[in-house]
Short mmCIF file of all heavy atoms in Angstrom, two decimals:
data_model
loop_
_atom_site.label_atom_id
_atom_site.label_comp_id
_atom_site.label_asym_id
_atom_site.label_seq_id
_atom_site.Cartn_x
_atom_site.Cartn_y
_atom_site.Cartn_z
N VAL A 556 5.84 4.98 5.50
CA VAL A 556 5.34 6.44 5.75
C VAL A 556 5.46 7.07 4.42
O VAL A 556 4.42 7.86 4.00
CB VAL A 556 6.31 7.17 6.73
CG1 VAL A 556 5.96 8.64 6.63
CG2 VAL A 556 6.21 6.60 8.06
N GLY A 557 6.45 6.73 3.49
CA GLY A 557 6.40 7.39 2.17
C GLY A 557 5.10 6.94 1.32
O GLY A 557 4.58 7.77 0.60
N THR A 558 4.81 5.66 1.45
CA THR A 558 3.61 5.20 0.72
C THR A 558 2.28 5.91 1.16
O THR A 558 1.49 6.31 0.47
CB THR A 558 3.45 3.72 0.86
OG1 THR A 558 4.62 3.12 0.21
CG2 THR A 558 2.20 3.11 0.20
N SER A 559 2.16 6.14 2.58
CA SER A 559 1.10 6.86 3.10
C SER A 559 1.03 8.20 2.53
O SER A 559 0.01 8.73 2.05
CB SER A 559 1.24 6.85 4.63
OG SER A 559 0.07 7.57 5.18
N LYS A 560 2.19 8.87 2.46
CA LYS A 560 2.14 10.24 2.12
C LYS A 560 1.95 10.39 0.64
O LYS A 560 1.21 11.27 0.19
CB LYS A 560 3.61 10.90 2.34
CG LYS A 560 3.81 11.29 3.76
CD LYS A 560 5.26 11.82 3.90
CE LYS A 560 5.49 12.18 5.36
NZ LYS A 560 6.81 12.69 5.57
N SER A 561 2.47 9.41 -0.28
CA SER A 561 2.25 9.51 -1.66
C SER A 561 0.63 9.14 -1.93
O SER A 561 0.11 9.74 -2.84
CB SER A 561 3.17 8.65 -2.38
OG SER A 561 2.99 7.29 -2.18
N GLN A 562 0.15 8.17 -1.26
CA GLN A 562 -1.17 7.81 -1.52
C GLN A 562 -2.13 9.09 -1.06
O GLN A 562 -3.06 9.33 -1.93
CB GLN A 562 -1.72 6.62 -0.60
CG GLN A 562 -1.02 5.38 -1.05
CD GLN A 562 -1.61 4.81 -2.23
OE1 GLN A 562 -0.88 4.68 -3.33
NE2 GLN A 562 -2.92 4.55 -2.32
N TYR A 563 -1.75 9.66 -0.07
CA TYR A 563 -2.53 10.93 0.35
C TYR A 563 -2.50 12.02 -0.62
O TYR A 563 -3.52 12.64 -1.10
CB TYR A 563 -2.11 11.39 1.76
CG TYR A 563 -2.69 12.70 2.10
CD1 TYR A 563 -4.13 12.69 2.51
CD2 TYR A 563 -2.06 13.81 2.22
CE1 TYR A 563 -4.73 13.89 2.82
CE2 TYR A 563 -2.74 15.06 2.52
CZ TYR A 563 -3.99 15.14 2.86
OH TYR A 563 -4.70 16.15 3.26
N SER A 564 -1.23 12.20 -1.11
CA SER A 564 -0.97 13.19 -2.19
C SER A 564 -1.82 12.87 -3.50
O SER A 564 -2.38 13.80 -4.03
CB SER A 564 0.52 13.29 -2.43
OG SER A 564 0.76 14.32 -3.39
N ARG A 565 -1.79 11.68 -3.80
CA ARG A 565 -2.45 11.21 -5.07
C ARG A 565 -3.87 11.41 -4.92
O ARG A 565 -4.66 11.69 -5.78
CB ARG A 565 -2.03 9.89 -5.38
CG ARG A 565 -0.55 9.84 -5.96
CD ARG A 565 -0.14 8.37 -6.14
NE ARG A 565 1.20 8.41 -6.62
CZ ARG A 565 2.06 7.39 -6.60
NH1 ARG A 565 1.45 6.24 -6.06
NH2 ARG A 565 3.23 7.32 -6.98
N ALA A 566 -4.46 11.08 -3.75
CA ALA A 566 -5.73 11.15 -3.40
C ALA A 566 -6.31 12.63 -3.47
O ALA A 566 -7.26 12.92 -4.05
CB ALA A 566 -6.19 10.65 -2.04
N LYS A 567 -5.38 13.55 -2.92
CA LYS A 567 -5.78 14.99 -2.99
C LYS A 567 -5.86 15.52 -4.42
O LYS A 567 -6.73 16.24 -4.79
CB LYS A 567 -4.83 15.84 -2.24
CG LYS A 567 -4.92 16.01 -0.78
CD LYS A 567 -4.05 16.86 -0.01
CE LYS A 567 -2.85 17.35 -0.76
NZ LYS A 567 -2.10 18.38 0.08
#
Side-chain angles (χ1 to χ4, degrees):
V556 171
T558 297
S559 177
K560 288 180 177 181
S561 67
Q562 291 288 120
Y563 174 70
S564 179
R565 291 173 183 160
K567 279 192 338 186

